[in-house]
């Protein structure tokens, strides 16, 4: 096979500085892409390919990984290269991380995540330089100076419109929009700074390396309110030791508990849009509880 027919091998054998690829092995466990481990004389590389999407999806992933990596806080794989495949589709090459059985566990995860949130600052406001995806749903990251506006429009508003457009669900749309337009009372006396977020932090995207240090994978990064990072906590199993160490680095803000469901709502709506009506009642009951609480 000519080199240009296989850009992944070509990169590994040139810029990747390997002289020989000894083995390539499929890696299971992913949801969306095909994952492969390439063993070489300079160590292993981790590669994901997708025959159906262009480079933009992996460019979003690579930019997120790079920015998280450059905070030098929590471990993430270093991204090396994104490109397109000759017969359609695209790939990403990154550092292969060997996972281990030993775990420093939740206190280390909480502390390091908070350190990443503290270090990952933005001068452009809330958003990201590229749009990305949450699951397979598009995630719009248009830079916005006001967090409440960003969350109302690009997070809740986007998902509510999608539910209306694909399921004809005008009921959840109208109630959800009523909430989205009245979020300000939930943020009284809160200082909201844009923080670099992983964006899709659930147990499937958290693991531990050979030294037992936490590793986070497969992000949907953007700069947002740090508390939005806990929006997937219903699938993450974070316990009190996680939150205690997190808040030692990033102090808890007034009204934190009143915003927890609000941040979960985005992900419940996304699950409703991705997987159908079994998630509708969770999303709707969060909306209705807030409408009652805020008397709107
Ligand atoms: P997908 O984009 O399809 O959801 P994932 O990012 O979840 O794929 O990765 C698929 C599998 O590969 C998972 O089991 C994950 O644990 C493993 N994996 C992901 N990134 C790395 C890496 N950098 N090094 C080693 N294994 C990885």
């Amino acid at each position: 096979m000519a080199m240009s027919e296989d850009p992944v091998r070509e990169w590994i054998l040139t810029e990747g500085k390997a002289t020989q690829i000894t083995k390539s092995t499929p890696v299971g466990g992913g949801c969306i892409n095909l994952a492969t481990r390439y063993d070489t004389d300079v160590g292993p590389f981790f590669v994901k390919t997708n025959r159906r999407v262009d480079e933009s999806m992996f460019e979003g992933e690579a930019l997120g990984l790079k920015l998280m990596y450059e905070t030098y806080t929590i471990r993430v794989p270093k991204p090396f290269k994104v490109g397109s495949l000759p017969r359609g589709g695209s790939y990403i090459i990154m550092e292969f991380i060997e996972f281990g059985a030993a775990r420093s566990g939740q206190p280390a995860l909480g502390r390091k995540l908070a350190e990443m949130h503290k270090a990952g600052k933005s001068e452009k406001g809330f958003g990201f330089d590229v749009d990305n995806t949450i699951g397979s749903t598009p995630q719009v990251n248009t830079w916005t100076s006001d967090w409440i506006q960003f969350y109302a429009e690009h997070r809740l508003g986007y998902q509510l419109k999608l539910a209306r457009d694909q399921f004809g669900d005008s009921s959840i749309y109208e109630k959800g929009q009523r909430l989205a337009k009245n979020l300000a009372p939930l943020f009284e006396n809160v200082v909201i700074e844009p923080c670099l977020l992983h964006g899709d932090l659930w147990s499937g995207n958290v693991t531990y390396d050979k030294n037992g240090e936490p590793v986070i994978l497969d992000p949907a990064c953007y700069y947002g309110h740090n508390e939005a990072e806990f929006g997937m906590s219903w699938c993450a199993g974070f316990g009190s030791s996680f939150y205690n160490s997190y808040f030692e680095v990033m102090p808890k803000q007034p009204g934190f508990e009143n915003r927890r469901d609000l941040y979960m709502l985005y992900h419940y709506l996304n699950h409703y849009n991705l997987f159908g009506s079994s998630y509708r009642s969770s999303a709707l009951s969060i909306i209705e509880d807030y409408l009652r609480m805020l008397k709107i």
Side-chain angles (χ1 to χ4, degrees):
M1 191 186 284
M3 290 277 263
S4 59
E5 285 286 290
D6 193 338
V8 170
R9 279 174 179 266
E10 182 177 344
W11 187 91
I12 290 173
L13 293 169
T14 53
E15 284 165 80
K17 303 206 165 46
T19 50
Q20 201 192 358
I21 294 170
T22 46
K23 199 162 62 168
S24 66
T25 328
V27 180
C31 314
I32 294 168
N33 306 296
L34 199 66
T36 311
R37 171 186 175 137
Y38 283 81
D39 284 293
T40 79
D41 57 325
V42 294
F45 292 86
F46 181 77
V47 178
K48 291 202 281 191
T49 56
N50 190 315
R51 293 266 165 212
R52 291 177 307 280
V53 298
D54 67 16
E55 287 164 55
S56 63
M57 184 181 80
F58 287 139
E59 269 161 6
E61 179 168 351
L63 180 61
L65 288 173
K66 175 177 180 288
L67 292 168
M68 293 195 296
Y69 185 89
E70 287 173 351
T71 64
Y72 301 106
T73 52
I74 194 161
R75 187 161 187 201
V76 296
K78 185 176 186 181
F80 295 133
K81 173 76 181 163
V82 170
S84 52
L85 294 166
R87 280 179 214 87
S90 53
Y91 65 90
I92 180 168
I93 307 175
M94 67 181 86
E95 173 190 7
F96 189 96
I97 296 183
E98 304 273 2
F99 303 142
R103 298 179 157 219
S104 54
Q106 299 222 354
L109 177 63
R111 193 186 67 251
K112 294 209 160 190
L113 183 70
E115 286 168 356
M116 182 181 94
H117 288 169
K118 200 168 203 170
K121 301 219 180 298
S122 133
E123 274 152 24
K124 296 187 190 165
F126 302 95
F128 205 51
D129 275 340
V130 292
D131 290 342
N132 45 22
T133 49
I134 181 77
S136 54
T137 310
Q139 181 164 263
V140 176
N141 293 320
T142 308
W143 292 108
T144 308
S145 57
D146 180 79
W147 167 251
I148 298 175
Q149 188 193 336
F150 178 88
Y151 192 68
E153 187 178 334
H154 299 308
R155 293 295 178 265
L156 298 183
Y158 187 91
Q159 296 282 350
L160 290 165
K161 277 195 200 90
L162 198 57
R164 184 194 58 187
D165 295 349
Q166 67 173 348
F167 305 132
D169 197 337
S170 53
S171 162
I172 205 164
Y173 174 80
E174 275 154 28
K175 288 180 177 167
Q177 284 293 1
R178 194 143 39 99
L179 171 63
K181 289 190 170 75
N182 289 281
L183 297 178
L186 294 169
F187 289 87
E188 272 166 22
N189 305 316
V190 186
V191 180
I192 311 170
E193 304 227 3
C195 294
L196 180 61
L197 306 183
H198 174 283
D200 191 13
L201 200 64
W202 66 288
S203 52
N205 289 339
V206 178
T207 182
Y208 291 84
D209 69 13
K210 286 275 185 207
N211 300 321
E213 293 298 323
V215 179
I216 55 177
L217 303 165
D218 212 8
C221 289
Y222 65 101
Y223 290 89
H225 186 203
N226 66 310
E227 295 172 7
E229 192 78 290
F230 308 126
M232 280 293 287
S233 56
W234 46 287
C235 297
F238 299 145
S240 55
S241 64
F242 167 86
Y243 286 107
N244 290 341
S245 5
Y246 181 88
F247 290 131
E248 277 171 22
V249 182
M250 287 288 281
K252 198 195 249 195
Q253 298 257 355
F256 169 78
E257 281 79 10
N258 287 339
R259 291 183 294 274
R260 286 180 87 139
D261 286 357
L262 182 71
Y263 288 134
M264 289 199 238
L265 177 58
Y266 171 59
H267 293 277
Y268 275 121
L269 286 170
N270 187 41
H271 276 61
Y272 173 32
N273 280 317
L274 286 172
F275 307 118
S277 64
S278 60
Y279 289 95
R280 181 178 190 270
S281 62
S282 310
L284 188 59
S285 76
I286 291 177
I287 294 171
E288 287 176 338
D289 285 350
Y290 276 113
L291 295 181
R292 265 193 299 277
M293 181 179 134
L294 297 168
K295 301 191 174 54
I296 46 179

